[in-house]
Amino acid sequence: MTPRHARGRDAALARVGVIDQHLPDGPLPPGQIVLLLPRRTMHWEDLLHSYRVIERQTGFMPVMVLATPELENHPGPARRQGINFIAVAAVPQQDQGHFRFAAGVARALRRLGLPGRLAARLLASERIRHGSVVGLARLAVTRVWLRRQCRQAARLLEALSPAALLLSGDRELGPFPAWQRAARDRRVPCVVAGVTLPSPDSDAFGRFHRARFFAGIGQAAPLINLVAAWCFPRQCRRADGRRLLFTPGWLTLALALAGMRIPMPWVQGSNSDAILTDCEARKALYVANGIPAARVRITGRVLYDDLFRLAASKADLRRRLLDDLAMPADLPIVLVSVPASAEHGLMDARTHYEKIEELLDHLASLNANIILSLHPRSDRQDYAKRIRETKLRLLDKPLFQYMAAADVFVCEASTTIDWAILCGVPTVDLQHSGIRIETWREFPGVLAFDRLDEAMEAIDRLIRDPATHARLQAAQMDGRDRICLFDGKCADRFRAVLESICAPRDSSVDRRLPAGSR
């Protein structure tokens, strides 16, 4: 490809909204590109494993699409790693536009000598920013914005002619509704290939105390929410007697008016041609929640092929970890995924850190090597100060890489429990913020506790009593088949399914749920 042709191609991509890109020389092969659209850094890491399989084991060209604020800093590292990508203007998070508006109003009022800070606080309150009056304005603006995003996605799809679009999920906001609508219009198959769980109960828990999601007449719900719930009852779910919308009423209506409403938002897969899942048990959960069985494809998780190899070298992994952290080799390893309740808005910061201090004090009293793994949103320096005078250590590498080295795993209601089950590591679920997810209820190797003292007794028993540890370790291994196919062959199954999805097919057939279904 000559420099002039390269400049011409880059200019053509710029005209359809690409602001940065790293693509191989030569013309882009129509029908041979597979686009991967992550939302967050964790999704990037997950889809990157699929990217590598596509790159090395198929005839397709993988291209990452960067379209969210959290991924705005990824072009540099992606370019250095030789990862194909295109970057488009980041789609702002749901409330950022409203917060900017509130700040503007506050500045204007202050110039007039009026109490701008109070006005900004009122406008930023949940009842106001998701209420009917403000909601109508946001509905109108969002509808226009969604259609603009859809036009841009359509132009990109027209220019790239991809064989498929792989998503980290098909019910999130950000760029997903527009890209999926544009893909549907062009018969580009959409595949949910990220880490997902059919867990509508946990989604309802996260919305239970937030007025923006209330949809019952006796709940002091905004009128616009009642209208949305009446028009689209499948957008609602009941939890502990409370009726909840998946998205605020104004956004539910904006998506519907823009032709981008998700048919069944409480479970992944209702808005795509296919959803990749881990095993028969997980497929059954999707089907039980209304996803057609033919749409759910069992591949296992490509990421878990690496975990399979790590678990096979547990002794070496354990030795390297203890050497790196200068910890004694004769004590068991308790690996702790520190709850991030404040960071996720599940608990106020003061209460969260008081409970964290109590947790750290209890952990420090155990006769074991205690290694803490922090959530990406947590402040590492803050935790380093908190444990400076203790025997606790911070893990400076991804938790995934060292799960197989642990003797006991401690966390709060997290998909990382799956990793522990696959590696045969007995697990204690602290329920630090009161989250109760039923996904692991049937796994006897996962012990859930509301009270910290009971959880600590269980951890102490696991590190002191070999018989108890062996029994729960065996229970974890027996439960593997209900988590994921764990045989090191997930990449092979993923490749086969992708090739079947990208194969030529009857373009008159649309296998998604009807967009207008209620």
Side-chain angles (χ1 to χ4, degrees), residues 499-516:
E499 289 175 345
S500 71
I501 289 170
C502 294
R505 63 199 186 285
D506 183 356
S507 63
S508 67
V509 177
D510 188 349
R511 291 180 290 276
R512 300 177 182 83
L513 291 180

Side-chain angles (χ1 to χ4, degrees), residues 471-507:
R471 177 172 55 81
L472 294 185
Q473 183 181 53
Q476 294 289 67
M477 291 183 173
D478 288 344
R480 285 174 173 176
D481 289 345
R482 288 177 284 155
I483 295 295
C484 184
L485 299 175
F486 198 56
D487 55 6
K489 299 178 181 178
C490 296
D492 295 337
R493 286 185 289 268
F494 168 77
R495 184 190 68 244
V497 168
L498 179 67
E499 289 175 345
S500 71
I501 289 170
C502 294
R505 63 199 186 285
D506 183 356
S507 63

Side-chain angles (χ1 to χ4, degrees), residues 341-361:
S341 304
E343 292 87 340
H344 285 100
L346 298 173
M347 183 183 293
D348 67 272
R350 181 177 178 179
T351 304
H352 168 70
Y353 285 110
E354 286 176 354
K355 297 184 76 170
I356 288 294
E357 289 287 356
E358 185 182 8
L359 170 63
L360 297 180
D361 288 344

Side-chain angles (χ1 to χ4, degrees), residues 178-205:
W179 276 81
Q180 288 185 274
R181 172 60 192 269
R184 174 184 289 115
D185 291 345
R186 279 150 189 78
R187 302 289 178 179
V188 175
C190 291
V191 181
V192 178
V195 176
T196 64
L197 278 175
S199 54
D201 290 337
S202 64
D203 291 326
F205 177 88

Side-chain angles (χ1 to χ4, degrees), residues 11-78:
L13 289 173
R15 284 195 295 273
V16 295
V18 174
I19 58 178
D20 194 5
Q21 54 90 6
H22 180 261
L23 297 169
D25 293 335
L28 299 176
Q32 295 300 306
I33 292 174
V34 174
L35 297 178
L36 299 96
L37 183 59
R39 182 185 181 194
R40 296 175 176 165
T41 298
M42 63 175 291
H43 301 141
W44 166 276
E45 297 293 341
D46 186 44
L47 288 179
L48 190 55
H49 288 79
S50 301
Y51 176 103
R52 295 302 188 194
V53 174
I54 297 169
E55 179 183 49
R56 296 167 183 169
Q57 300 184 27
T58 75
F60 296 102
M61 177 195 294
V63 177
M64 287 283 196
V65 180
L66 307 179
T68 64
E70 191 169 328
L71 301 178
E72 285 181 313
N73 295 325
H74 279 55

